[in-house]
Amino acid sequence: MSKEEIEFIGKQVKDMYGTYVGKVVGTITDFDGSVQTVGIDCGSEGLKQIAFEQLVVQGQFVIFIPRWRLDAQRLLREKSLTLSRIRALIDIVSENDDMKEDAELIHERYKMKLLTLDETERQIKERLDKRTAELESQLKSIKMLRFDAKLQNKSNEISDAKYELVKTHTVEIIEHIEHEKAEIANIQRRINDLSVEQLERKESPKQDVHSAAVSYLGKVENSSSSQPKTPIPAGISASESSPTPTPKPVAIGADGDEDTTQDTDWLKRISS
């Protein structure tokens, strides 16, 4: 166990929002001496064993980081990276068809990773909703306490000084709660943004490339139809002078081009 790990024993513990949690009374270590959990005296709630990774020494205090925050940050990092790599995989195959077989193997790996992350995301969302409900309940209780103190002050049961003391403490607690609620809302928004990005990726695989191809072919067709007609000399019928009709170009992925059809199907499959 390092010197820094030993020094925080006996220090007071606060959460990230300034609320007092307890006091460090000891640690439990692994066979190699590394700290596994930290024992914190939480008063009436008794001794709690907190994972060492959830604690950070900051000056004279030890800061407690909620487990939901660590798990949510890990989810955001992993899912963002996974989606970025899938996009890069599609770009590589779009530029080089010879990479299809190699890309198929890697795609399956990232597809399974996304399924795992989706389940993790569902669990984290449930925990965030539960924590938000807990904070709302605490907020109502604190506001009720502060209002009752004001009522006692108006009825001359407690002095103005006592009421101001209650008001100061409750305002501080409310600020801590609002801070945590704001952070939870921010995490939820970032998770939802990644979910929308994943949904859009599923719905429109290679849509921009295909649309550009169709647009280009439409321009070719329009330009050919707008060419000036050659005047027909006298004595020659219109049927004799009519040129042989030119076949219209076929859009990428349409019937008549088996290879490009397979390419579009593959891209749809890799984006699913």
Side-chain angles (χ1 to χ4, degrees):
M1 189 164 57
S2 67
K3 182 180 178 181
E4 290 77 10
E5 292 168 347
I6 296 175
E7 283 182 348
F8 70 73
I9 295 177
K11 290 187 175 183
Q12 291 185 340
V13 182
K14 291 185 176 182
D15 65 14
M16 295 177 58
Y17 316 104
T19 303
Y20 179 76
V21 176
K23 185 177 182 180
V24 177
V25 296
T27 62
I28 293 180
T29 58
D30 206 344
F31 293 106
D32 61 357
S34 61
V35 178
Q36 286 185 315
T37 60
V38 177
I40 299 177
D41 180 9
C42 299
S44 61
E45 296 184 10
L47 183 69
K48 288 188 177 182
Q49 297 290 342
I50 306 297
F52 181 64
E53 64 175 345
Q54 292 182 249
L55 300 172
V56 177
V57 178
Q58 189 174 23
Q60 297 301 314
F61 296 95
V62 176
I63 306 302
F64 167 72
I65 304 173
R67 170 58 63 182
W68 63 259
R69 190 177 191 276
L70 293 177
D71 292 344
Q73 293 288 353
R74 186 179 296 113
L75 169 69
L76 289 169
R77 287 195 304 269
E78 292 184 1
K79 190 164 187 179
S80 179
L81 180 59
T82 302
L83 291 174
S84 295
R85 290 191 175 183
I86 290 178
R87 285 195 301 269
L89 187 64
I90 294 175
D91 290 341
I92 290 173
V93 176
S94 299
E95 297 167 0
N96 187 356
D97 288 344
D98 295 337
M99 303 292 292
K100 251 192 235 182
E101 292 186 9
D102 296 335
E104 185 77 44
L105 297 175
I106 299 176
H107 165 252
E108 289 300 323
R109 175 187 173 190
Y110 284 108
K111 185 176 181 181
M112 293 303 299
K113 180 64 175 178
L114 269 183
L115 292 175
T116 303
L117 290 175
D118 285 343
E119 176 60 23
T120 303
E121 178 181 323
R122 183 189 64 79
Q123 295 175 1
I124 290 177
K125 282 183 175 180
E126 288 180 355
R127 287 160 58 187
L128 293 178
D129 290 339
K130 181 179 178 181
R131 181 55 181 166
T132 301
E134 291 174 354
L135 293 174
E136 289 290 351
S137 177
Q138 292 177 20
L139 195 58
K140 290 179 181 179
S141 178
I142 293 168
K143 288 181 177 180
M144 184 180 297
L145 179 68
R146 185 175 62 180
F147 183 81
D148 195 80
K150 184 177 182 65
L151 187 63
Q152 294 174 41
N153 175 249
K154 287 296 183 180
S155 60
N156 298 320
E157 297 175 58
I158 61 175
S159 64
D160 292 343
K162 290 294 183 182
Y163 169 67
E164 289 299 325
L165 187 61
V166 172
K167 186 178 177 180
T168 300
H169 287 309
T170 53
V171 166
E172 183 179 351
I173 296 173
I174 289 174
E175 287 178 353
H176 296 166
I177 292 176
E178 293 292 352
H179 187 184
E180 185 172 358
K181 282 176 59 182
E183 186 170 11
I184 290 176
N186 182 50
I187 292 288
Q188 289 173 323
R189 178 186 57 77
R190 293 173 62 188
I191 291 175
N192 290 334
D193 287 345
L194 280 180
S195 299
V196 171
E197 180 182 348
Q198 181 181 357
L199 182 61
E200 290 176 348
R201 183 187 59 81
K202 287 181 179 181
E203 291 179 346
S204 56
K206 205 180 177 186
Q207 182 178 1
D208 295 336
V209 177
H210 184 75
S211 298
V214 173
S215 176
Y216 169 75
L217 291 173
K219 289 179 181 178
V220 172
E221 182 179 351
N222 291 335
S223 62
S224 62
S225 62
S226 61
Q227 291 178 356
K229 297 181 181 179
T230 304
I232 302 174
I236 300 177
S237 62
S239 60
E240 292 177 356
S241 63
S242 298
T244 304
T246 304
K248 293 183 179 180
V250 182
I252 296 174
D255 295 337
D257 195 337
E258 182 178 354
D259 294 336
T260 53
T261 301
Q262 292 177 355
D263 179 64
T264 303
D265 292 341
W266 187 90
L267 282 168
K268 287 182 179 179
R269 187 170 68 255
I270 201 172
S271 301
S272 62

